[in-house]
Amino acid sequence: GAGVSQSPRYKVTKRGQDVALRCDPISGHVSLYWYRQALGQGPEFLTYFNYEAQQDKSGLPNDRFSAERPEGSISTLTIQRTEQRDSAMYRCASSSGTVSNSPLHFGNGTRLTVT
Amino acid sequence: ELKVEQNPLFLSMQEGKNYTIYCNYSTTSDRLYWYRQDPGKSLESLFVLLSNGAVKQEGRLMASLDTKARLSTLHITAAVHDLSATYFCARGQGAQKLVFGQGTRLTINP
């Protein structure tokens, strides 16, 4: 596709439920990133992949959060046993190479609301 | 702890005026990025600054980087309403991680 595609655009879930957020990066992009953006704040790093390998997951808040990119393309961010504090915009980004050589291209995000 | 701080956080200005947004960061880095975000939209890359003294310009926006001062600036010349948005700077950390500032919400009034 022309850009980074994320689904769903909006997700409302009840506390304690699991959610899976999907990201389809720009075709051919090697690197894929997950960020979380609270209202009125800048994006906060969660994790990133080069191809299918998860290179850094230091930003994942706790073990309820996990991510995968099994075939080096589409990625899924999963949050288990959601809590109200997980409510935020979750943004995926991709880049054609390492960050120092190319900017990140962000998707439109998934707005998660935990009630 | 790595910090990226922007100043000001809110800026209201009139069309035709010039202004500068400042981005300070706490540890040395040779990579600095500027993004624009319109309300309800995603982030759009504006500039990538990769070395000390780098200067890039696109239309009415010009970005510069001083790694010794740990400072980047985004200068707006003769502002127009279309430039109203939130502007974020981000610093590279490690190989592929970005740390973002809080953002500067810019409103340009006719």
Side-chain angles (χ1 to χ4, degrees):
Chain A
V4 177
S5 177
Q6 292 186 246
S7 62
R9 287 295 306 275
Y10 303 93
K11 178 69 177 179
V12 180
T13 189
K14 291 186 176 180
R15 187 178 55 183
Q17 297 294 306
D18 298 350
V19 295
L21 311 181
R22 174 188 164 118
C23 173
D24 194 349
I26 293 173
S27 179
H29 275 196
V30 168
S31 301
L32 184 148
Y33 309 79
W34 284 99
Y35 281 80
R36 179 167 69 174
Q37 186 175 19
L39 199 61
Q41 300 293 317
E44 175 188 9
F45 172 82
L46 295 176
T47 184
Y48 85 88
F49 295 81
N50 282 342
Y51 300 100
E52 73 281 0
Q54 190 171 21
Q55 300 290 342
D56 184 341
K57 56 181 181 178
S58 62
L60 296 177
N62 50 60
D63 60 7
R64 296 186 296 106
F65 288 73
S66 63
E68 62 175 9
R69 193 187 185 197
E71 298 180 0
S73 179
I74 292 169
S75 177
T76 302
L77 177 69
T78 301
I79 309 172
Q80 296 179 310
R81 305 180 303 281
T82 53
E83 301 177 3
Q84 285 187 319
R85 59 177 172 159
D86 299 335
S87 296
M89 176 70 83
Y90 288 83
R91 295 197 185 274
C92 176
S94 68
S95 68
S96 58
T98 61
V99 169
S100 63
N101 295 327
S102 57
L104 272 61
H105 299 268
F106 282 87
N108 287 325
T110 294
R111 168 80 62 191
L112 175 65
T113 303
V114 182
T115 61
Chain B
E1 180 187 350
L2 171 62
K3 290 184 178 180
V4 179
E5 295 184 343
Q6 291 184 231
N7 174 25
L9 299 183
F10 299 92
L11 177 58
S12 180
M13 53 192 293
Q14 287 190 319
E15 281 191 326
K17 300 292 186 182
N18 304 330
Y19 211 82
T20 300
I21 299 170
Y22 297 89
C23 174
N24 290 92
Y25 51 92
S26 59
T27 61
T28 57
S29 171
D30 57 358
R31 292 182 283 132
L32 198 292
Y33 306 79
W34 284 96
Y35 285 85
R36 166 181 173 152
Q37 186 174 35
D38 292 295
K41 303 293 186 181
S42 188
L43 287 85
E44 172 192 355
S45 175
L46 294 175
F47 301 108
V48 180
L49 304 169
L50 297 177
S51 61
N52 185 43
V55 177
K56 290 195 174 179
Q57 183 164 4
E58 181 71 33
R60 301 175 187 273
L61 300 178
M62 182 175 70
S64 65
L65 177 62
D66 182 342
T67 58
K68 294 180 181 179
R70 300 176 189 170
L71 171 69
S72 179
T73 60
L74 180 66
H75 187 72
I76 303 149
T77 302
V80 294
H81 179 69
D82 287 353
L83 292 179
S84 296
T86 299
Y87 293 85
F88 291 96
C89 65
R91 174 202 175 280
Q93 181 184 29
Q96 291 184 253
K97 186 174 172 178
L98 293 188
V99 178
F100 283 81
Q102 316 97 301
T104 297
R105 185 176 296 178
L106 174 64
T107 303
I108 299 170
N109 304 304

